[in-house]
Amino acid sequence: MTTSHALAPALGTGRSPFASLVRQREVPVASALVVLVIVTTIANPLFVSAQGVKDLMLNATITVIMAVGLGAVIITNNIDLSVGSILGLVAFGTGSVFAAAPDIPIVFVFAIGLALGALLGAINGFLVTVARVPSLVITLGMLYIYRGVNNAWAGGQQYFAGDRPAAFGRLSVDTVLGVPIITVIAIVVVVLVAVFLARTRPGRDLYAIGSDDEAARLFGIPVSKRVLTAFVLNGTLTGLAGVLYASRFNSVGATTGTGLELDIVAAAVVGGIAIFGGSGSVVGAAIGAVLLTTITSSLTALNVDKFWQQAIVGVLILTAILVERIASIRKARRLRTSEATNA
Amino acid sequence: MTIDPTSDGPSPTATVLELRGARKTFGAVVALSSGSVRLRAGEINALVGENGAGKSTMVKILAGVHQPDSGDFLFDGHPIVFRSPAESKAAGVSVIYQEPTLFPDLTVAENIFVGRQPTTRLGFIDRAAMRADARALFDRLGVPIDPDRVAEGLSIADQQIIEIAKAISLDAKVLIMDEPTAALSGVEVERLFGVARALRDRGSAIMFISHRFDEVFGLSDRITVMRDGAFISEHTTSEVSTPEIVRAMVGRDVDQLFPKQEARVGDTVVRVDGLTRAGVFHDVSFEVSAGEIVGLAGLVGAGRTEVARALFGIDRYDAGSVTIGGRRLAPRDPMASIRAGIGFVPEDRRKQGLVMDMSVSRNTTLTLRTTLSRLGLVSARREREAAADWSRRLQVKTGSQELPVSTLSGGNQQKVVLAKWLATDPTFLIVDEPTRGIDVGTKSEVHRLISDLAGRGIAVLMISSELPEVLGMADRVLVMREGRLTATFDRDDATPETVINAATGAEPAHTTTTTETRR
Amino acid sequence: MPEQTTTPSAAGSAIDPRRASSASRDTAGASGDRDARDAARRDPESAAERTLRRRRLLTGRGAIMIYALLGTLLVCALTVPRFASVQTTGFLLLDAIPILMIAMPMALVIITGEIDLSVASTAGLTSAAMGVLWAAGWGIPEIFVVCVLIGIGCGALNGLLVTAIGLPSLAVTIGTLALYRGLALVVIGDNAVADFPPALTSFFTSKIGATGIPTAMIGVAVIIAFFGVLLHFSSFGRTLPAIGFSKEAASFVGVHVGRAKFWMFVATGVVSALVGIYWTLRYSSARSDNATGIELAVIAAVLLGGVSIFGGRGSIPGVVAGVLIISSVSYALRLGGISDVVLNVVTGLLLVGSVVTPSLIAVVREKRRTRRAARDVLAASAADAA
Amino acid sequence: ALTAGSSDGDATTGSGSDGEQSIAFVPKQLNNPYTDVVLGGGEEASKSIGYDYSVVGPLEASASSQVTFINTLTQQGANVIVIAANDPDAVGPALQEARDGGAKIVAFDSDTNPDYRDVFISQVEAKDVALIQIRQMSEQIGGEGDIAILSATANATNQNEWIQYIEEEVDTNPDYAGINIVSKVYGDDDDAKSFQEAQGLLQANPDLKGIISPTTVGIAATARYLSTSEYKGEVALTGLGLPNEMREFVKDGTVTAFALWDPAQLGYVAAYAGQALVDGTITGAEGDTFEAGDLGERTVGADGIVIVGPPTEFDADNIDDYDF
Ligand SMILES: Nc1ncnc2c1ncn2[C@@H]1O[C@H](COP(=O)(O)OP(=O)(O)OP(=O)(O)O)[C@@H](O)[C@H]1O
Ligand SMILES: Nc1ncnc2c1ncn2[C@@H]1O[C@H](COP(=O)(O)OP(=O)(O)OP(=O)(O)O)[C@@H](O)[C@H]1O
Ligand SMILES: [Mg+2]
Ligand SMILES: [Mg+2]
């Protein structure tokens, strides 16, 4: 009766490489990015000059890393609103480390930053999984707490790029084959996390949990452990972003990273990660982050009135979730009718 | 014949998993009072019992989802308590739950292998191997499901098959299947049985739950009977007959259960004409008259609930019409249906019938919220009065009207649902699985209530998966199969055989001669 | 049909719906002393019931929040010099008003299981529009009307996207958060309009006589009362927790789930617009960045007030207390010369603590219970096996 | 003489204990390095006049965020409130209330609406600041070409005033006839934002010759961007900056010259003005004079404005002489 006989072609789940490529969730956002770059370049060729491209990559780097981390959390149907505060703490921590030990090897600084980020992420994950409280509430609270700690720690103190070794600052200046070093780091991060999520068992568990956590529990997936992993991963990557922030920008202080959280959520959502978990990929989130940072540059390059920029970003976010929704409705309908005809 | 479960059975096979005198409560609800079962290697044990007897609760204890409040629990002769499904799985227990537990966003292949996907030498998931393994499993079950499609949108039957594939792929020591065949057709059931027998012959201990006696007798080596959360008896299949099992299950003669009053059937109240929803149900037409109880039978997934939901206005329909009291009912508008005099007791009490956090009194008066209010404001006093009034009429047992309805037992919760609909003074009442998961005592009370309502001229549409309930209560029985109305029987023509045949399509020739679908 | 199982007729007639409905129609019917007498005779609430109901009222989450507020005020008054003064009332309430206002509809939105992050942006857009229209020479009444229309529009767009198209409100309102703030920038750019009539602006900072209570609180009280009555006493309000608990359960009793949510979003938009007006006139400054970032403060206060983020539960008194606790603590800290830094931490701890503590207690209790049961079962099984 | 140690702008408790006069500084935002230098001067002067000194303020520089702090100061009975307004009008009613309660209001750095304060301590003549910046720019780009302005927030009173003078000067002075202001952007005194705005400017205007950034955060961020990009040495940058922040960029050739007054003097004079108001030495009327400690006598000019002193221009030759 209702088993799906020979439904592969009807559903388009056939193995035609092109067909399956087109159905990737990353496609709409990637196309939007390409179109945006092309249009901007036509109007202003400088947009893709060596410097222009370098700037675009640099701008996207930190957002990309954070969007990838948060993406992993959202895939489990959780959220971490405290990422802006975590970034601020780590960035200021980086400044402090250099101030305290100017000759410290840069690798150590990265290690410290990542560890601090991981710790903060772990606190969030711990509260969410142990107390079984919705992550939105917990991390909203932690947003305030971490920011408060940052303020208390930093006070009026700020550390400037000049306080840090030149080699550290050069990470966000020097390039490898035209790609800034910190961007290379970001690309490596995207690839590693993407492989982790797509090709390892714990990674796939995250999707299963986001898809239906009750079923995951029944299935014997260690749900709490995995969710904790996602939060720690997110914290670690946000920590990395914090260190890179200190490398790239002039000053780090009490307010660094304020208000970043919604931008990062927006990047992940625009990149096709469903806000209620279970689907999407961190590659999509990364492209979403690139799209959102590029659109700002692009509007400036196009001399679009700066007052319109934010409104356009808003429209973009709404469009992204609309497209996503329409695609999923169509898919559901296709699947349903194919069931019916096969019944 | 009845065997004491503690004494060894006739065949000297080793007991793998055993539960004795297990008790489990959920708040005020006693799901299991004294559950016992013994699973032996190389043997298939069928667990039977009425809805709500506690079968699934026992399955969940064996699976580590729930932990027993008390009782004995032995695995390979050693005391054990599984604290989580992961533990039971690690011990070699593989479970198919009654409700499919698939991940809608993952592919079919992944759904089967999550957590133990085949990997390449580098430790990465080998998708090709996973796909091939999934396909091999489906071949074994003889069903062609595409391993690469996502699970979302699969039919209940396909979902069930994936659950089966998942469970057998573990090659577990113990395989527990909670109503795996509820949504399957004959061919698929046969294939599943083939696989189950093969597993048994290789030494697995299998527990199998089904409400269909032909399956129980066709597959099992032993039958364990449960009633009201307690173990009743264990039998060797070859030495027992269906009536014996039924008696053990219900604990009394079937006829006594359903006190059907003779009804004076009046004028037609509701007419459903050509109701269709693409892919779900097709061209469904029937009438219900005042004072008449119409039973709607069919297998799970036949689309009965869907028809009722569309009729009432919860879901949309693509074609057809619903007429009540001579007036056409607006589609997609439950409020309009309520105003027109329809009440609907839904099948899932906990998610659809009640707001579990709300008090008994608020729940009872939720349907009366506009009637009880003036200028949009509800009178608290009148609300309390109405609620207390209806609780008393239906003899709802509760510590207080102000307690959350979640603290009530299943049967009393169902009475609250009935009360809130009776309070609207309906002319047409739909009851979907009205006695699912409630104890026997309350069950007959509910039946009496429904019967009484019909006696007072209300038209009743009763959807039920329990054949005795349908046969005992209904003046007329409609049968659905795969989204279509396949047969209509008058009370006297409806026998278990005719209805099951119409529901499964087993002997279409037979059904066509005795029935004619009313249009 | 065996005789003994057929119902005794008493039970049968007890459920006669016609009789029952006529009874309820009686009580619904107009007046008459017969009614009153009947009610007195029939009011089924026993003394025990009444006590139980009262006890639940006095121990509910809303009541606890009110005790917490009173406790907070007492501690502040005792430890912070000058806190216990009329001036405090005025300044504290002036600061609290925007959060207090938006928290009302926000509580309802969250009770229905949705969320609205765009509230502060809506207020900003309203403020911007107000400035531009005033600068263009419009009259105040017309401007107010336009502002409210803007609020309706913003809320309606959110509502439509969420209910008609079925998008998740968290994502939608992150988008409109950016969009509405962006439109505010488009409308007024980097200008600030400040020349509102002094009579009007001073009204918004004025106090009622010597009470120290801002005059604007009268309006706010009306809003609180409106939403309180709506949630707790109206037939519409009965349905909101039902929606939040289960959409299905609500639609089965004839609730238009989409419609109800839509109107809740519109209400949020309107109140946000009112906050935009208040903000503009209180600070006599219409700018695009007014009220930036207060959405998280509102949500924090609502959640602290005991509204469940999953929907289905929450009360207006609790939310009012939640808002006032945060405002009092922050005002006391400032008055005590303690930096805002600490305030951030305190807000966070209040929020996290208020949800984690009860949940943690429940989790631990449950864990202990199952562990004990498991131990008993193990012991019993071992004894039996031996 | 007047250099500020790195005082952390942390809110120090300052309940005006009995008998002692209290002075409270409300900067635009805590934790801003420029502000810290200003406050350093304020603290020093407060100590020497024997006033109880405190700093309170918001963590982010939005228009309304200062009001609640003014309110608490009012209630604490602060004698002098020294404020750098984020918005000239938003703080008005609150300041009025403070005055009704007997406080003297000194605006500094960024003025409020004159109705709401007694005196305004201005760094320098606004016009002077504007002229220095455009002159430096003109010198560096050879008198012609496209330039852009990267400011703080769009509503910053002082920045907008300077920008207005710069624009007027470019329009009217024949020496600057070849100069074109092609764009004005706002970095909101946020490091990262200013950084990206600078970058956007260069991309949108390929022919850009120079950027004027009349804000310390903006100029530092822009300098950092330029020094790390191919535009280093190609695009001129000037404006108002802190020598300690800019030293690196002056040395590596990104920046030739920039300007600033000694911010510490601003806070210093503000504190003395507050004392003079409390003592009744001045009322804020034109022509009033008061003694500002080591800095000597100051005169209240038109509209109650007190000028602190001429701006200093910094370049590679003199920058090492300054430490703030
Ligand atoms: N989580 C729960 N909370 C409250 N009551 C529950 C819960 N789970 C089961 N019950 C109740 O326990 C009783 C036994 O349910 P169970 O699902 O075990 O029955 P069953 O024999 O499997 O019935 P069916 O044949 O319908 O599947 C029912 O009354 C049910 O309502
Ligand atoms: N939203 C939906 N989209 C697509 N198909 C659906 C949807 N809901 C239900 N179906 C399909 O409709 C059919 C009937 O569903 P359902 O199982 O509720 O029927 P039923 O006869 O009421 O069964 P029962 O009441 O015994 O559970 C099933 O095949 C199911 O897969
Ligand atoms: Mg069951
Ligand atoms: Mg059903």
Side-chain angles (χ1 to χ4, degrees), chain B residues 225-301:
Chain B
V225 182
M226 288 185 72
R227 186 174 72 228
D228 296 343
F231 170 87
I232 299 299
S233 55
E234 192 189 67
H235 311 263
T236 304
T237 308
S238 52
E239 299 166 10
V240 74
S241 69
T242 311
E244 280 178 79
I245 295 289
V246 171
R247 239 191 329 274
M249 273 170 64
V250 297
R252 71 201 82 176
D253 287 332
V254 178
D255 280 349
Q256 284 189 324
L257 257 177
F258 308 110
K260 173 83 177 90
Q261 296 184 339
E262 284 315 316
R264 282 168 288 104
V265 175
D267 298 336
T268 301
V269 175
V270 179
R271 268 182 58 130
V272 174
D273 243 318
L275 213 61
T276 298
R277 178 170 185 188
V280 183
F281 53 84
H282 196 76
D283 196 17
V284 173
S285 308
F286 60 89
E287 289 173 0
V288 188
S289 304
E292 186 186 29
I293 299 178
V294 173
L296 185 52
L299 299 183
V300 171

Side-chain angles (χ1 to χ4, degrees), chain B residues 20 24-25 67-74 77 79-81 83 255-256 258-262 309 312 314 332-335 338 344 346 350-358 362 365-367 369-374 376-378 380-385 388-390 392-395 399-404 420-423 425-427 448-449 452-453 456-458 491, chain C residues 1-2 4-9 11-21 23-25 27-30 35-36 38-40 42-45 49-50 52-53 56 229-243 245-256 259 311-313 366 369-385:
Chain B
R20 249 181 291 154
K24 180 71 191 172
T25 54
Q67 287 72 41
D69 297 338
S70 63
D72 293 349
F73 195 172
L74 296 165
I80 197 166
V81 172
R83 289 216 190 77
D255 280 349
Q256 284 189 324
F258 308 110
K260 173 83 177 90
Q261 296 184 339
E262 284 315 316
R309 286 169 62 102
F312 187 65
I314 302 283
R332 286 289 282 131
D333 189 353
M335 197 65 215
I338 294 172
F344 192 159
R350 271 184 252 142
K351 293 208 184 86
Q352 301 169 328
L354 296 167
V355 181
M356 300 303 276
D357 290 345
M358 267 193 192
R362 289 271 168 97
T365 56
L366 206 50
T367 46
R369 61 189 186 279
T370 41
T371 337
L372 291 181
S373 58
R374 203 172 295 163
L377 297 185
V378 182
R381 188 178 57 84
R382 279 169 45 205
E383 188 180 64
R384 272 201 307 280
E385 282 169 19
D389 193 20
W390 281 104
R392 207 181 46 239
R393 278 162 209 267
L394 271 74
Q395 297 166 1
S400 157
Q401 289 288 313
E402 299 302 321
L403 290 172
K420 88 176 180 184
W421 284 112
L422 296 187
D425 186 14
T427 50
R448 197 154 49 218
L449 274 168
D452 264 357
L453 292 173
R456 300 188 189 281
I458 294 179
R491 185 172 172 78
Chain C
M1 200 126 313
Q4 77 273 28
T5 53
T6 1
T7 344
S9 59
S13 69
I15 57 144
D16 181 348
R18 263 149 261 279
R19 212 206 72 156
S21 70
S24 67
R25 249 171 230 140
T27 43
D35 234 308
D38 262 20
R42 268 205 329 253
D43 190 345
E45 198 180 32
E49 284 275 286
R50 198 169 303 130
L52 185 72
R53 189 161 54 84
R56 288 177 61 80
V229 168
L230 186 67
L231 177 62
H232 298 295
F233 300 106
S234 78
S235 55
F236 177 76
R238 286 280 187 281
T239 67
L240 298 178
I243 293 173
F245 172 78
S246 155
K247 239 176 88 167
E248 284 262 287
S251 40
F252 269 102
V253 290
V255 176
H256 298 283
R259 214 179 287 170
R313 230 175 316 155
E366 170 67 21
R369 201 182 72 86
T370 55
R371 195 170 309 143
R372 193 177 313 127
R375 207 176 38 229
D376 293 351
V377 170
L378 270 178
S381 315
D384 271 33

